Amino acid sequence: MKRSAKNPNWTKWVVTDRIVTYASPVYVSERVGIKPKELHIFYQDTGKAMRMFGVALTEMSTLIIVAVDELHGAAGAYDPVDNTVKYIWDRDNVLPEERLGVIIHEMWHRRQAYDAVREGWTITHENKSAYIAWLAEKCRKRMERLGVTDAE
């Protein structure tokens, strides 16, 4: 399921098939023709990025591979409410290093949610805006500590 950035109450269902050969849930949109080896690379790279950020593999997100138009212009999206990450499958237009950059970016969001839960948060649809505001303030303070300021 996706939510529109302009209207978070709007949802669109993505019809998927569950791939049962993985320890954690992996789904592929019925509109995506991805080879098993290519799917395995997504799964492995997601695990590597999680380890890179210190998140245990037992906390693996649900992976959903979707068609380009099923993610509204983004290459990936992480949802902290249900610990789900969606990646687009676009062999013709996304280079492997770009794909890896997207995986690392989304797993950074996973790390942020992991830290929030460890600090006592239970992230829900009802408090997701409060979580984002809390996270933005936490990041702003970190940027200040690092000496990063608004520059023109």
Side-chain angles (χ1 to χ4, degrees):
M1 180 171 58
K2 297 184 293 187
R3 296 190 182 278
S4 166
K6 292 182 181 175
N7 182 356
N9 296 318
W10 178 83
T11 60
K12 178 181 178 185
W13 293 94
V14 176
V15 180
T16 61
D17 293 316
R18 168 94 193 257
I19 310 302
V20 296
T21 54
Y22 293 97
S24 59
V26 175
Y27 297 87
V28 177
S29 167
E30 69 176 10
R31 296 183 46 222
V32 170
I34 188 170
K35 295 179 181 177
K37 183 176 180 179
E38 295 163 331
L39 180 60
H40 190 66
I41 290 170
F42 268 105
Y43 188 82
Q44 283 184 315
D45 287 348
T46 298
K48 288 176 188 175
M50 287 180 63
R51 283 192 303 274
M52 182 173 82
F53 290 127
V55 179
L57 292 180
T58 56
E59 302 289 329
M60 179 68 97
S61 302
T62 297
L63 271 62
I64 304 174
I65 308 300
V66 298
V68 174
D69 64 339
E70 291 177 313
L71 206 50
H72 298 291
Y78 175 72
D79 185 349
V81 173
D82 57 9
N83 189 26
T84 298
V85 63
K86 296 179 186 97
Y87 302 124
I88 64 164
W89 174 242
D90 188 3
R91 180 188 304 124
D92 299 329
N93 297 309
V94 178
L95 298 173
E97 51 274 7
E98 292 173 316
R99 179 189 47 76
L100 186 57
V102 169
I103 290 171
I104 290 169
H105 175 90
E106 298 310 328
M107 287 304 99
W108 175 247
H109 291 309
R110 173 65 186 105
R111 172 56 196 249
Q112 291 171 318
Y114 177 77
D115 288 344
V117 169
R118 290 175 47 200
E119 290 185 36
W121 277 87
T122 300
I123 306 167
T124 65
H125 287 292
E126 292 75 27
N127 73 1
K128 188 175 178 180
S129 294
Y131 162 70
I132 298 294
W134 171 83
L135 184 59
E137 180 62 17
K138 185 176 177 177
C139 292
R140 186 193 61 74
K141 288 178 182 177
R142 182 171 187 218
M143 298 297 279
E144 265 181 17
R145 271 196 322 274
L146 294 172
V148 178
T149 59
D150 289 339
E152 292 182 21

